[in-house]
Amino acid sequence: MRTILFVAISLAVALPVGAQQRTYHGRRRELVAEVPRADDTVRVDGVLDEPVWSRATLLTGFSSYLPLDDRPAQDSTDVLVWYSASHVYFGVRAFETHGAVHATLAARDKIDMDDYIQLVIDPFNDRRRAFIFGINPLGAQADGVRTEGFSPPQPRGQTFGGNPPAFIDLSPDFVFESRGRLTDAGYELEVAIPLKSMRFQGANRQDWALQVLRFVQHSGYQQTWTPARRGAASFLVQSGTLSGLHDLRRDPVIEVNPEVTEALNGAPSTSDWSYTSTPNLGGNVRWRIVPNLTMNATVRPDFSQVEADAAQVPGDTRFALFFPERRPFFIDGIEQFDAPNNLVYTRRISQPDFATKLTGRFGRTSIAYMGAVDDAAASASGDDHPLFNILRLRRDILQASTLGLTLTDRTEREGFSRVGVADTRIVFRKAYTFNASMGASASRAPAGGATRTAPLWDVGVNRTGLRYGLRYAFTGIGPDFEAATGFVPRVDHVTAVAYNRFSWYGKSGDLLESYLVRQGFDWVWLHDRFWDGKSVQETKIQVENVFNIRGGWVLSVTPVREQFLFDTRTYARYRVLRPSASSTGTDTLAFTPSPRTSTGVVLLRLNTPQFERWTGRLTGFIGKDIEFFETSTARRVDLTGEVDFRPTDQMRLTASYLSSQYTRSRDGTSLSRASVPRLRLEYQLSRALFLRVVGQYDHRQRDALRDPRTELPLGIFDGTQFVRTTDIATRDFRMDWLFSFVPSPGTVLFAGYGSSLTEPDAFRFRHLERVRDGVFVKLSYLFRR
């Protein structure tokens, strides 16, 4: 009754006599909304009291999306929309009668513990990519890009895909205004998004795709304006439409962002501690030539304010670890470079002296080019400057399908690494997608020599139905494949996978809201052995069970069974070291890897609900696993826990602990262990002022390697001789703090300090020795015209 009365009073106050307001009800399939154009301006203060709001289009009739879709939303939400020649405006009234509203003064992109509204806007109406603008009840912002059908690399043991598959990147920051306030019936938002902050069509009259999501933290539910089915192959295809936008300002936009940094880096010297000063003057330029074509350039960019990567412990030590891109120049427009098989990985460009990007869209074709001159330290000789060229083309076909081409090149002296791959993604029958790519690489060492070539190909089909899903895929990468601009951690394999998923959904109010089981098989062959008809190298079967429990609890239990046949070529540099019988020397004997070996582990995950002040996650990996250094089995116990606290509306404390231990199955001795506690404190003094302190202790130990057959020590060839492996221990303690003043993206003041220390005994904190430190100050200002 209170909600009905509030709505009636709001409408009575907001609507003058005779005002015409169009209403579009999502549950009634009124999904094409005509939006009024006005030359009015408003004060963005979170109060929808200006007369123009009475003429705005009203979007209402939300549906439930998570945990159950295609049902009326549990809460009422009204969204008002209008636009001018230079801005698009949104007003939101979110009514809440079932529980408390979660709202804090959160840092940018850190509103996931709060209630919030997410505007998903696709100005090109192609329903493949969209800008996302998130706003919590106090107006704090989160923004980025959503891309359909793309996902980042997944760690070993994780099963496939989302439902539907998508990649949401919160790295980009856009300039827009937002304010919010709590009300007796919920909360109210006012948002103004400049057209200068978005790419959009060049036509005079255009339609935009729009979806509005509401996240309710006390229940863990998600709601959408248009009825969206979780079993569909595309989320963006199910968006509504803002119709008839016209006479938008399409003036060129130039942003000049000079930056200056002064850094003092300290390290021990022969006599005392010494510091070196490294001033840096650089900057960025962004030129939106036309609304659908943008050029970016950077000269000597400074990335000192970027937070250090959290430590990781690899489960499969044969492959590199993936770290996401966080550097400002690269993340702007990075969605345009999305490519299958992770062929574009900008962290391969370490510290460019100069880089440029050109991104645009012409009709149904997208083009993205990046060129860079990297620092000499990234070259093999230390004197050359590697050159990078990356081109990504994509053509939209049918309703939600694409054709693509990726061309990359890294050149250094006489050496190069070049890749060309064509790909397609076809969506059919709403729930099915067909994916395929084919290409090759050509590479040569910087010192010259023979050119090596190798193929890459994959083909697969997915079904993302609500109750039944599948993924069948077949992939091959040649032994000499090299992608120096991408992240392809494994080559020389042919892999076949077959997964099936079954989902069950309870009734509204049930304790168990949903249950799904994913059962899958993986087969891996060495590339040439597959074509020669040889036996499979690795097999895996896993059964993932996911329980969604009322209130937002999620429990996942995944037993995994694997078999491995070790590749003898990988261990060609190994020798068994045996004391010589006739002298004090050492005999080197051939090392023979273990025969085909079986393992069995269980992967556990538990996510808590978003409580008012905290949320937590726990992951466990327990069982008999492979230890690839010794080609033997080991008892593995990995535990990772993380808790996010919000003691006050301005403070956020994230505490995590990673523990990993491998114990040899044959004798119970410790092979390796790692303990990594990490503490991150963030204090938001205001929306523009921010303080961050991060502390991490990384303690790792690895025993000297032994032959699993004879227990004799192992030696590894270092280029001149076989060197016996030894115990390895690290006890690194790292502290970083950062003070930032960011009134708007691009205009910043950063001041930071970082220090690395070590000690002889782990976690004693008695004889800490500083090994390096540094302090920096960075200033930058965004000039926009």
Side-chain angles (χ1 to χ4, degrees):
M1 183 66 186
R2 185 177 65 175
T3 300
I4 297 174
L5 181 62
F6 180 84
V7 174
I9 294 175
S10 298
L11 292 175
V13 172
L15 291 176
V17 176
Q20 299 294 320
Q21 183 177 51
R22 294 187 177 93
T23 299
Y24 296 89
H25 195 286
R27 294 287 302 167
R28 297 173 187 160
R29 309 298 300 180
E30 299 168 353
L31 309 182
V32 179
E34 292 188 26
V35 184
R37 186 182 187 278
D39 294 326
D40 300 49
T41 59
V42 298
R43 179 186 177 189
V44 180
D45 56 6
V47 182
L48 307 177
D49 55 355
E50 289 89 355
V52 68
W53 289 111
S54 66
R55 305 190 301 274
T57 288
L58 173 63
L59 311 179
T60 189
F62 276 56
S63 297
S64 174
Y65 180 67
L66 186 74
L68 304 172
D69 61 13
D70 198 31
R71 302 183 184 188
Q74 297 80 9
D75 308 279
S76 178
T77 309
D78 290 344
V79 179
L80 300 169
V81 190
W82 61 280
Y83 72 98
S84 68
S86 59
H87 289 72
V88 58
Y89 295 89
F90 293 88
V92 179
R93 293 189 177 101
F95 305 105
E96 178 55 76
T97 60
H98 304 100
V101 173
H102 294 197
T104 62
L105 187 63
R108 195 180 196 97
D109 296 335
K110 302 294 184 181
I111 65 175
D112 50 297
M113 293 180 65
D114 297 332
D115 284 57
Y116 64 98
I117 296 292
Q118 187 179 96
L119 306 171
V120 183
I121 305 173
D122 174 14
F124 290 98
N125 200 26
D126 63 6
R127 303 176 188 241
R128 276 86 167 175
R129 294 192 183 105
F131 298 101
I132 56 177
F133 300 88
I135 311 97
N136 84 346
L138 299 183
Q141 300 175 352
D143 47 3
V145 176
R146 179 179 181 125
T147 305
E148 297 280 76
F150 173 78
S151 59
Q154 297 177 339
R156 175 174 166 245
Q158 184 172 334
T159 54
F160 68 91
N163 189 16
F167 176 50
I168 297 176
D169 182 8
L170 295 179
S171 300
D173 292 332
F174 307 117
V175 178
F176 70 103
E177 293 184 80
S178 61
R179 290 292 185 274
R181 66 188 182 100
L182 299 177
T183 66
D184 290 340
Y187 61 94
E188 202 168 273
L189 302 175
E190 193 168 19
V191 184
I193 303 175
L195 297 181
K196 288 184 177 182
S197 295
M198 293 191 295
R199 293 179 294 274
F200 58 93
Q201 304 169 49
N204 183 54
R205 186 177 181 86
Q206 50 193 278
D207 295 340
W208 292 9
L210 173 73
Q211 181 62 280
V212 183
L213 287 89
R214 178 178 174 182
F215 295 77
V216 183
Q217 297 299 351
H218 73 81
S219 63
Y221 290 174
Q222 298 177 21
Q223 300 152 12
T224 58
W225 168 50
T226 72
R229 299 301 299 266
R230 293 175 59 220
S234 171
F235 177 78
L236 295 181
V237 163
Q238 303 176 84
S239 301
T241 303
L242 300 182
S243 175
L245 283 74
H246 61 90
D247 295 316
L248 303 179
R249 291 188 60 176
R250 299 188 295 274
D251 302 335
V253 178
I254 298 179
E255 296 177 353
V256 180
N257 188 204
E259 56 186 31
V260 58
T261 304
E262 175 66 35
L264 290 175
N265 298 305
S269 62
T270 54
S271 58
D272 198 359
W273 196 266
S274 63
Y275 284 90
T276 57
S277 175
T278 54
N280 184 74
L281 178 62
N284 308 288
V285 176
R286 178 177 178 267
W287 178 22
R288 195 184 75 179
I289 305 168
V290 290
N292 56 340
L293 183 64
T294 302
M295 186 187 77
N296 298 66
T298 186
V299 177
R300 299 184 61 81
D302 176 76
F303 304 125
S304 56
Q305 82 282 3
V306 177
E307 182 183 349
D309 296 309
Q312 300 183 45
V313 176
D316 193 331
T317 54
R318 298 173 296 173
F319 310 127
L321 293 171
F322 178 84
F323 292 95
E325 180 62 87
R326 302 181 187 276
R327 300 172 296 175
F329 171 78
F330 292 106
I331 60 180
D332 182 21
I334 196 172
E335 75 282 355
Q336 301 288 333
F337 293 90
D338 291 343
N341 304 296
N342 301 295
L343 295 175
V344 178
Y345 181 51
T346 53
R347 288 192 63 148
R348 299 296 188 199
I349 307 172
S350 62
Q351 184 66 47
D353 292 333
F354 173 78
T356 185
K357 293 187 297 187
L358 184 68
T359 57
R361 181 178 179 85
F362 303 93
R364 298 172 68 86
T365 301
S366 299
I367 180 173
Y369 166 78
M370 181 185 300
V373 180
D374 210 355
D375 187 75
S379 67
S381 66
D383 299 320
D384 301 302
H385 291 271
L387 303 178
F388 287 83
N389 287 283
I390 300 170
L391 178 65
R392 173 66 176 163
L393 301 173
R394 195 190 68 172
R395 175 74 177 179
D396 295 340
I397 59 175
L398 306 176
Q399 184 182 25
S401 305
T402 59
L403 295 172
L405 177 66
T406 305
L407 300 173
T408 69
D409 171 62
R410 182 187 187 275
T411 302
E412 179 185 338
R413 285 200 178 185
E414 298 181 29
F416 56 80
S417 172
R418 296 166 184 160
V419 173
V421 174
D423 63 89
T424 187
R425 179 176 184 262
I426 306 296
V427 178
F428 60 100
R429 296 184 62 182
K430 295 184 178 180
Y432 290 88
T433 58
F434 170 79
N435 301 275
S437 60
M438 179 173 293
S441 74
S443 57
R444 186 170 63 204
T451 298
R452 305 179 306 276
T453 61
L456 177 148
W457 50 270
D458 71 73
V459 60
V461 62
N462 296 264
R463 185 183 193 275
T464 56
L466 182 64
R467 300 189 181 277
Y468 172 65
L470 61 83
R471 178 182 178 237
Y472 300 146
F474 201 37
T475 304
I477 303 179
D480 291 323
F481 188 87
E482 180 181 320
T485 61
F487 184 80
V488 183
R490 183 172 193 171
V491 299
D492 190 14
H493 71 91
V494 172
T495 301
V497 300
Y499 281 82
N500 293 277
R501 172 185 54 81
F502 300 92
S503 301
W504 173 88
Y505 298 91
K507 298 179 181 179
S508 180
D510 285 356
L511 177 63
L512 183 61
E513 293 181 331
S514 68
Y515 165 72
L516 71 82
V517 56
R518 292 187 180 103
Q519 173 272 328
F521 295 92
D522 292 59
W523 299 269
V524 180
W525 295 263
L526 296 179
H527 187 270
D528 294 341
R529 290 176 61 90
F530 172 80
W531 298 112
D532 293 338
K534 301 296 179 61
S535 62
V536 66
Q537 197 78 10
E538 301 173 19
T539 62
K540 176 168 68 175
I541 178 173
Q542 59 181 349
V543 182
E544 181 180 21
N545 302 272
V546 182
F547 305 86
N548 285 273
I549 303 169
R550 186 177 61 213
W553 294 87
V554 180
L555 173 65
S556 172
V557 181
T558 308
V560 182
R561 180 76 173 176
E562 296 181 89
Q563 278 194 348
F564 295 88
L565 181 61
F566 298 99
D567 183 2
T568 56
R569 297 171 299 178
T570 304
Y571 302 93
R573 298 169 56 241
Y574 274 42
R575 290 294 185 273
V576 179
L577 304 182
R578 184 182 65 183
S580 177
S582 58
S583 67
T584 57
T586 301
D587 294 331
T588 58
L589 307 177
F591 173 75
T592 303
S594 300
R596 189 178 296 273
T597 303
S598 299
T599 67
V601 298
V602 176
L603 177 62
L604 304 171
R605 293 191 182 96
L606 176 65
N607 290 356
T608 74
Q610 296 280 0
F611 294 109
E612 183 176 1
R613 291 296 179 185
W614 69 279
T615 184
R617 294 161 292 279
L618 178 66
T619 301
F621 201 96
I622 302 170
K624 185 177 73 171
D625 200 11
I626 285 290
E627 206 301 305
F628 289 98
F629 285 112
E630 291 187 346
T631 71
S632 61
T633 60
R635 178 72 178 177
R636 178 183 176 186
V637 179
D638 282 6
L639 295 174
T640 302
E642 183 174 281
V643 180
D644 288 329
F645 293 100
R646 284 290 179 89
T648 70
D649 289 348
Q650 295 172 270
M651 182 182 295
R652 182 167 186 161
L653 183 66
T654 302
S656 65
Y657 183 74
L658 182 155
S659 174
S660 176
Q661 181 169 336
Y662 280 78
T663 303
R664 293 182 177 94
S665 300
R666 59 185 186 271
D667 59 10
T669 56
S670 176
L671 180 59
S672 68
R673 64 175 59 194
S675 298
V676 186
R678 180 181 174 93
L679 192 64
R680 171 181 170 141
L681 173 66
E682 300 172 341
Y683 194 83
Q684 199 75 28
L685 291 87
S686 67
R687 288 186 63 177
L689 289 172
F690 171 76
L691 177 66
R692 181 182 74 209
V693 180
V694 179
Q696 176 177 283
Y697 198 110
D698 192 344
H699 172 51
R700 307 190 191 204
Q701 286 183 303
R702 171 170 286 279
D703 193 20
L705 301 182
R706 307 199 308 254
D707 178 24
R709 288 183 173 83
T710 65
E711 299 301 333
L712 291 172
L714 291 176
I716 300 178
F717 192 65
D718 67 353
T720 58
Q721 61 181 337
F722 290 97
V723 179
R724 178 175 177 171
T725 62
T726 59
D727 297 347
I728 299 174
T730 60
R731 294 168 290 273
D732 297 332
F733 181 44
R734 177 74 185 177
M735 287 289 297
D736 294 278
W737 68 262
L738 176 72
F739 170 81
S740 68
F741 173 62
V742 188
S744 64
T747 299
V748 301
L749 164 63
F750 291 124
Y753 173 78
S755 179
S756 295
L757 306 96
T758 188
E759 61 177 341
D761 298 309
F763 297 109
R764 296 298 178 90
F765 300 99
R766 294 176 182 173
H767 303 287
L768 286 169
E769 179 183 356
R770 190 164 40 125
V771 293
R772 62 181 180 276
D773 68 354
V775 61
F776 78 93
V777 176
K778 175 178 177 178
L779 292 169
S780 72
Y781 187 83
L782 179 65
F783 297 91
R784 170 182 274 192
R785 185 183 68 84

